[in-house]
Amino acid sequence: MSVIDMFSDVDLPIFKLLRVLRVFRLVKKFKTLQVMISTLIGAVPAILSALLFLMMWIFIFSAIAADRIFLKEVKYGKVITSRWNFESITNAMLLLFRTSTGDGWFDVIYDAAVAPPFCTPNGDPDLAWLSEAHGHEVDGDCGIGEVSFVFFVVFFLGCGYIFLPLFVATLIDYFSEAQVEDLSLFNADDCEKYAEVWGEFDRSGGNCPTISIENLRPLIERLKAKDHRVGFSVSSDWNRYKTVWCRVMTNPAFF
């Protein structure tokens, strides 16, 4: 009985939710799922590296946008609000991360490009009340004009066409390697298992790894017991054994 089954009868909502985890039992029955999960686990370092590059990209643009002469004090609009703004690097990173997903990324361009008479420019007499509202002296709440188009388009192109494809390519590369290894005649696990069985019959001490011809049949049957793909039952497939024996005797140097 598994741990999930032990707690399935407990009348607590949190333990009832654990029943959902039973779906992971399917992993044992489908080899494809095993390959996918093992690939995802193996790709974690590469995925983290790709995410680190993405965070660096967002941080660079956030540091620029949060500068006082750029977008730090820009007027609130459709996307740039009291919650989503460039008043600090943290807020800027959150807003740019939201923008990188495609959520309101074009509206934020217009918010950042706001110009008079829809904002208060530097030197305007109304700056006094604006500074009082912010609690410190401001240079106006206008945007950066057409520069915002270049700024956000470059940022979005970097996220959508460089770092996101890099993330996807990393997963595809790992999945391809895992599939090739799984379909290969001898993958890494097979080679390791074969070397382990060979070592049981090798008496050379590793200097010249060879075994005697008398150990050919025990070797094959031992591989069969280890569920190796080249192992088989000699008694039930005698013709196959004779073929292997003839090839070994024809060229014993490679045995």
Side-chain angles (χ1 to χ4, degrees):
M1 180 180 294
S2 64
V3 177
I4 297 176
D5 294 329
M6 292 172 59
F7 290 101
S8 61
D9 296 330
V10 180
D11 191 18
L12 288 176
I14 187 62
F15 291 120
K16 289 182 178 180
L17 290 176
L18 293 177
R19 297 177 183 176
V20 181
L21 300 179
R22 290 178 176 176
V23 71
F24 288 102
R25 293 179 177 177
L26 295 174
V27 176
K28 299 180 180 179
K29 299 181 180 180
F30 297 97
K31 192 172 183 179
T32 304
L33 289 177
Q34 296 179 10
V35 173
M36 292 179 63
I37 292 178
S38 61
T39 301
L40 286 174
I41 295 175
V44 167
I47 292 175
L48 292 178
S49 298
L51 291 177
L52 178 61
F53 278 111
L54 176 61
M55 295 306 297
M56 291 174 60
W57 180 258
I58 293 177
F59 176 79
I60 291 173
F61 279 79
S62 299
I64 296 174
D67 189 82
R68 185 175 180 180
I69 62 174
F70 215 72
L71 294 173
K72 183 174 183 178
E73 297 170 346
V74 69
K75 183 179 180 180
Y76 294 160
K78 186 175 182 179
V79 176
I80 302 177
T81 63
S82 58
R83 180 177 181 182
W84 302 96
N85 52 61
F86 297 100
E87 295 176 4
S88 65
I89 293 182
T90 302
N91 290 351
M93 291 185 67
L94 291 174
L95 179 54
L96 288 180
F97 178 77
R98 169 188 169 184
T99 305
S100 67
T101 65
D103 181 20
W105 83 275
F106 208 73
D107 291 328
V108 75
I109 294 178
Y110 288 105
D111 284 353
V114 61
F118 304 103
C119 61
T120 306
N122 188 19
D124 193 281
D126 294 333
L127 278 181
W129 71 266
L130 187 62
S131 299
E132 183 179 351
H134 282 79
H136 59 84
E137 185 179 352
V138 298
D139 297 326
D141 59 359
C142 291
I144 53 177
E146 296 180 354
V147 178
S148 65
F149 289 86
V150 179
F151 180 83
F152 286 101
V153 168
V154 171
F155 170 77
F156 189 76
L157 288 177
C159 293
Y161 296 95
I162 297 178
F163 296 103
L164 180 60
L166 177 64
F167 178 81
V168 176
T170 301
L171 288 178
I172 293 176
D173 182 57
Y174 273 85
F175 275 119
S176 299
E177 290 182 1
Q179 188 175 15
V180 169
E181 184 176 351
D182 183 62
L183 297 177
S184 300
L185 180 60
F186 263 51
N187 54 36
D189 293 335
D190 291 330
C191 291
E192 184 178 352
K193 190 181 296 183
Y194 188 90
E196 179 184 350
V197 175
W198 181 279
E200 297 178 6
F201 299 94
D202 182 16
R203 298 294 182 266
S204 63
N207 297 325
C208 184
T210 57
I211 64 174
S212 63
I213 191 62
E214 290 81 6
N215 288 326
L216 176 60
R217 179 171 180 172
L219 174 68
I220 295 174
E221 293 183 337
R222 180 60 175 160
L223 289 171
K224 171 65 176 178
K226 287 279 190 177
D227 293 328
H228 198 282
R229 62 182 69 191
V230 300
F232 59 92
S233 177
V234 175
S235 58
S236 61
D237 199 350
W238 183 253
N239 291 330
R240 183 180 178 185
Y241 173 71
K242 288 194 298 183
T243 302
V244 175
W245 188 86
C246 291
R247 289 183 178 179
V248 172
M249 294 305 294
T250 302
N251 197 353
F254 291 94
F255 180 64

